[in-house]
Coordinates of all heavy atoms in Angstrom, one line a residue:
Chain C
E199 N -4.4 -9.0 16.4 CA -3.8 -9.9 17.4 C -2.3 -9.6 17.5 O -1.7 -9.4 16.4 CB -4.0 -11.3 17.2 CG -5.4 -11.8 17.3 CD -5.6 -13.3 16.9 OE1 -4.7 -13.9 16.4 OE2 -6.7 -13.9 17.2
V200 N -1.7 -9.7 18.6 CA -0.3 -9.6 18.8 C 0.1 -10.8 19.7 O -0.6 -11.0 20.7 CB 0.3 -8.3 19.3 CG1 1.8 -8.4 19.5 CG2 -0.1 -7.1 18.4
A201 N 1.2 -11.5 19.4 CA 1.6 -12.6 20.3 C 2.8 -12.1 21.1 O 3.5 -11.2 20.7 CB 1.9 -13.9 19.5
D202 N 3.1 -12.9 22.2 CA 4.1 -12.4 23.1 C 5.5 -12.7 22.6 O 6.5 -12.3 23.2 CB 3.9 -12.9 24.6 CG 3.9 -14.4 24.7 OD1 4.4 -15.1 23.7 OD2 3.3 -14.9 25.7
N203 N 5.6 -13.2 21.4 CA 6.9 -13.3 20.7 C 7.1 -12.2 19.6 O 8.0 -12.2 18.9 CB 7.1 -14.7 20.1 CG 6.1 -15.0 19.0 OD1 5.2 -14.2 18.8 ND2 6.3 -16.0 18.2
M236 N -3.6 -0.3 19.4 CA -4.9 -1.1 19.3 C -5.6 -1.1 20.7 O -5.0 -0.7 21.7 CB -4.6 -2.5 18.9 CG -3.8 -3.3 19.8 SD -3.6 -5.0 19.2 CE -3.0 -5.8 20.7
M237 N -6.8 -1.5 20.7 CA -7.5 -1.8 21.9 C -7.0 -3.1 22.5 O -6.5 -4.0 21.8 CB -9.0 -1.9 21.7 CG -9.7 -0.6 21.2 SD -9.6 0.6 22.5 CE -9.9 2.1 21.6
H238 N -7.0 -3.1 23.8 CA -6.4 -4.3 24.5 C -7.2 -5.6 24.3 O -6.7 -6.7 24.2 CB -6.3 -4.0 26.0 CG -5.1 -4.6 26.7 ND1 -3.9 -3.9 27.0 CD2 -4.9 -5.9 27.2 CE1 -3.0 -4.8 27.5 NE2 -3.6 -5.9 27.7
T239 N -8.5 -5.4 24.1 CA -9.4 -6.5 24.0 C -10.3 -6.2 22.7 O -10.4 -5.1 22.3 CB -10.3 -6.7 25.2 OG1 -11.0 -5.4 25.5 CG2 -9.6 -7.1 26.4
N240 N -10.9 -7.3 22.2 CA -11.7 -7.1 21.0 C -13.2 -6.8 21.5 O -13.4 -6.7 22.7 CB -11.7 -8.3 20.1 CG -12.2 -9.6 20.8 OD1 -12.9 -9.6 21.7 ND2 -11.9 -10.7 20.2
G243 N -14.7 -8.7 24.1 CA -14.0 -8.6 25.5 C -12.8 -9.5 25.6 O -12.2 -9.7 26.7
E244 N -12.5 -10.2 24.5 CA -11.3 -11.2 24.5 C -10.0 -10.5 24.3 O -9.9 -9.5 23.5 CB -11.5 -12.3 23.4 CG -12.7 -13.1 23.6 CD -13.3 -13.7 22.3 OE1 -12.8 -13.3 21.2 OE2 -14.1 -14.6 22.4
S245 N -9.0 -11.0 24.9 CA -7.6 -10.3 24.8 C -7.1 -10.4 23.4 O -7.3 -11.4 22.7 CB -6.7 -11.0 25.8 OG -5.4 -10.4 25.7
K246 N -6.4 -9.3 23.0 CA -5.8 -9.3 21.7 C -4.3 -9.5 21.8 O -3.6 -9.5 20.9 CB -6.0 -8.0 21.0 CG -7.6 -7.8 20.6 CD -7.9 -6.4 20.1 CE -7.3 -6.1 18.8 NZ -7.8 -4.7 18.3
L247 N -3.8 -9.6 23.1 CA -2.4 -9.8 23.4 C -2.3 -11.3 23.8 O -2.7 -11.6 25.0 CB -1.9 -8.9 24.5 CG -1.8 -7.4 24.1 CD1 -3.0 -6.7 24.2 CD2 -0.6 -6.8 24.8
L248 N -1.8 -12.1 22.9 CA -2.0 -13.6 23.1 C -0.6 -14.3 23.2 O 0.4 -13.7 23.0 CB -2.7 -14.2 21.9 CG -4.0 -13.5 21.5 CD1 -4.5 -14.0 20.2 CD2 -5.0 -13.6 22.6
K249 N -0.8 -15.6 23.6 CA 0.4 -16.5 23.7 C 0.8 -16.8 22.2 O 2.0 -16.8 21.9 CB 0.1 -17.8 24.3 CG -0.1 -17.7 25.8 CD -0.2 -19.1 26.4 CE -0.5 -19.1 27.9 NZ -2.0 -18.9 28.1
K250 N -0.2 -17.0 21.4 CA 0.0 -17.3 20.0 C -1.2 -16.7 19.2 O -2.3 -16.8 19.6 CB 0.0 -18.8 19.8 CG 0.6 -19.4 18.6 CD 0.8 -20.9 18.7 CE 1.4 -21.5 17.5 NZ 0.9 -21.3 16.2
C251 N -0.8 -16.1 18.1 CA -1.9 -15.6 17.2 C -2.8 -16.7 16.7 O -2.3 -17.8 16.3 CB -1.3 -14.7 16.1 SG -0.5 -13.2 16.6
T252 N -4.1 -16.5 16.6 CA -5.0 -17.5 16.1 C -5.3 -17.2 14.6 O -5.7 -18.0 13.8 CB -6.3 -17.6 16.9 OG1 -7.0 -16.3 16.7 CG2 -6.1 -17.8 18.3
L253 N -5.2 -15.9 14.2 CA -5.5 -15.5 12.9 C -4.3 -15.6 12.0 O -3.1 -15.7 12.5 CB -5.9 -14.0 12.9 CG -7.2 -13.7 13.5 CD1 -7.4 -12.3 13.8 CD2 -8.4 -14.4 12.8
I264 N 3.7 -2.0 22.1 CA 2.3 -1.9 21.9 C 1.7 -0.9 22.9 O 2.1 -0.8 24.0 CB 1.6 -3.3 22.3 CG1 2.3 -4.4 21.5 CG2 0.2 -3.3 22.0 CD1 2.4 -5.7 22.2
T266 N -2.0 0.3 24.1 CA -3.4 0.0 24.1 C -4.1 1.0 24.9 O -3.5 1.9 25.5 CB -3.7 -1.4 24.7 OG1 -3.5 -1.3 26.1 CG2 -2.8 -2.4 24.0
L268 N -5.2 0.4 27.7 CA -4.9 0.0 29.1 C -3.4 0.3 29.5 O -3.1 0.5 30.6 CB -5.3 -1.4 29.4 CG -6.7 -1.8 29.2 CD1 -6.9 -3.3 29.6 CD2 -7.7 -0.9 29.9
L271 N 3.3 -1.6 26.5 CA 4.1 -2.9 26.8 C 5.2 -3.0 25.7 O 5.0 -2.5 24.6 CB 3.1 -4.0 26.7 CG 1.8 -4.0 27.4 CD1 0.7 -3.7 26.5 CD2 1.6 -5.3 28.2
G276 N 10.1 -13.6 25.0 CA 8.9 -14.5 25.5 C 8.0 -13.8 26.4 O 7.5 -14.4 27.4
G277 N 7.7 -12.5 26.2 CA 6.6 -11.9 27.0 C 6.4 -10.5 26.7 O 7.2 -9.8 26.0
F278 N 5.2 -10.0 27.2 CA 4.8 -8.6 27.1 C 5.4 -8.0 28.5 O 4.9 -8.3 29.5 CB 3.3 -8.5 27.1 CG 2.7 -9.0 25.9 CD1 1.9 -10.2 26.0 CD2 2.9 -8.5 24.6 CE1 1.2 -10.7 24.8 CE2 2.2 -9.0 23.5 CZ 1.4 -10.1 23.6
E290 N -3.6 -5.3 38.0 CA -4.5 -6.4 38.0 C -5.5 -6.4 36.8 O -5.7 -7.5 36.1 CB -5.3 -6.4 39.3 CG -6.0 -7.8 39.7 CD -5.0 -8.9 39.5 OE1 -3.9 -8.8 40.0 OE2 -5.5 -9.9 39.0
E291 N -6.0 -5.2 36.5 CA -6.9 -5.1 35.3 C -6.2 -5.5 34.0 O -6.7 -6.1 33.1 CB -7.4 -3.7 35.1 CG -8.6 -3.4 36.1 CD -8.9 -1.9 36.1 OE1 -9.8 -1.5 35.3 OE2 -8.3 -1.1 36.9
I292 N -4.9 -5.1 33.9 CA -4.1 -5.4 32.7 C -3.8 -6.9 32.6 O -3.9 -7.5 31.6 CB -2.8 -4.5 32.7 CG1 -3.1 -3.0 32.6 CG2 -1.9 -4.9 31.6 CD1 -2.0 -2.1 33.0
K293 N -3.5 -7.4 33.8 CA -3.3 -8.9 33.8 C -4.5 -9.7 33.3 O -4.4 -10.6 32.6 CB -3.0 -9.4 35.2 CG -1.6 -9.3 35.6 CD -1.4 -9.9 37.1 CE 0.1 -9.7 37.5 NZ 0.2 -9.8 39.0
Q294 N -5.7 -9.2 33.8 CA -6.9 -9.8 33.4 C -7.2 -9.8 31.9 O -7.8 -10.7 31.3 CB -8.1 -9.1 34.1 CG -8.2 -9.4 35.6 CD -8.5 -10.9 35.9 OE1 -9.3 -11.5 35.2 NE2 -7.9 -11.4 36.9
A295 N -6.7 -8.7 31.3 CA -7.0 -8.5 29.9 C -5.9 -9.0 29.0 O -6.0 -8.8 27.7 CB -7.2 -7.0 29.7
T296 N -4.9 -9.6 29.6 CA -3.8 -10.1 28.7 C -3.7 -11.6 28.8 O -3.4 -12.1 29.9 CB -2.5 -9.5 29.2 OG1 -2.7 -8.0 29.3 CG2 -1.3 -9.7 28.3
E297 N -3.9 -12.2 27.6 CA -3.8 -13.7 27.6 C -2.3 -14.2 27.6 O -2.0 -15.2 28.1 CB -4.6 -14.3 26.5 CG -4.9 -15.8 26.5 CD -4.3 -16.5 25.3 OE1 -3.1 -16.3 24.9 OE2 -5.1 -17.3 24.7
G298 N -1.5 -13.5 26.8 CA -0.1 -13.9 26.7 C 0.6 -13.6 28.0 O 0.1 -13.2 29.0
R299 N 1.9 -14.0 28.0 CA 2.7 -13.9 29.2 C 3.1 -12.4 29.5 O 3.6 -11.7 28.7 CB 4.0 -14.7 29.0 CG 4.9 -14.7 30.3 CD 6.0 -15.8 30.2 NE 7.0 -15.5 31.2 CZ 8.2 -14.9 30.9 NH1 8.5 -14.6 29.6 NH2 9.0 -14.6 31.8
L300 N 2.6 -12.0 30.7 CA 2.8 -10.6 31.1 C 3.9 -10.5 32.1 O 3.9 -11.3 33.1 CB 1.5 -10.0 31.7 CG 1.5 -8.5 31.9 CD1 1.6 -7.7 30.7 CD2 0.3 -8.1 32.9
V301 N 4.9 -9.7 31.8 CA 6.0 -9.6 32.8 C 5.9 -8.2 33.5 O 5.9 -7.2 32.9 CB 7.4 -9.6 32.0 CG1 8.6 -9.4 32.9 CG2 7.5 -10.9 31.2

Side-chain angles (χ1 to χ4, degrees):
Chain C
E199 295 177 346
V200 176
D202 60 22
N203 65 349
M236 66 178 192
M237 292 296 163
H238 213 96
T239 52
N240 64 20
E244 297 155 348
S245 182
K246 294 170 71 172
L247 289 88
L248 308 174
K249 288 190 188 79
K250 195 171 186 302
C251 292
T252 63
L253 295 168
I264 305 145
T266 74
L268 303 183
L271 311 103
F278 297 111
E290 197 48 43
E291 284 171 89
I292 295 164
K293 270 186 191 161
Q294 288 295 319
T296 308
E297 192 238 53
R299 183 166 163 257
L300 187 71
V301 179

